[in-house]
Amino acid sequence: MDMTQKTQFTDRIARIQAGGPNTFGTVYCGVQNSNAPKRQKVKVTQVQSLQERTGPSKMKLMRVGLQSGLMKVSLLSVLVVGYIRYVGI
């Protein structure tokens, strides 16, 4: 590190220890609706809340996953039994 980086680092650590922000930048999380240049303010779109989302429930997803796993295990066990009967271990 050169001297300017060291001074910036010590200033940042002092600011954090004093209870200040970790960075000076503004952080945008989520989807933006335009390809705005760096210096232009970004217009942020709001994502649907959990209540507004439509789709399968957690219980249905868990049930489908369990059924899929059980089908894979049963198919594998049938194949192993068939292999053992054919080879005759």
Side-chain angles (χ1 to χ4, degrees):
M1 274 206 258
D2 61 0
M3 196 52 128
T4 57
Q5 288 177 328
K6 286 181 182 179
T7 56
Q8 288 173 351
F9 184 72
T10 55
D11 291 341
R12 182 176 178 193
I13 295 298
R15 185 176 64 248
I16 292 170
Q17 287 176 346
N22 192 4
T23 60
F24 282 117
T26 303
V27 178
Y28 293 100
C29 295
V31 182
Q32 70 182 41
N33 61 356
S34 66
N35 293 327
K38 277 189 172 182
R39 291 184 174 87
Q40 184 180 357
K41 189 173 182 178
V42 176
K43 191 173 182 182
V44 179
T45 59
Q46 296 294 326
V47 182
Q48 291 178 343
S49 67
L50 290 176
Q51 290 81 16
E52 295 173 359
R53 292 184 184 177
T54 58
S57 65
K58 288 182 184 178
M59 184 63 97
K60 182 168 178 139
L61 291 173
M62 293 290 284
R63 189 179 316 123
V64 169
L66 180 63
Q67 286 175 350
S68 172
L70 289 175
M71 286 182 1
K72 289 176 185 177
V73 168
S74 62
L75 178 65
L76 181 64
S77 61
V78 166
L79 290 175
V80 167
V81 168
Y83 177 78
I84 290 173
R85 294 194 89 183
Y86 178 75
V87 173
I89 293 180

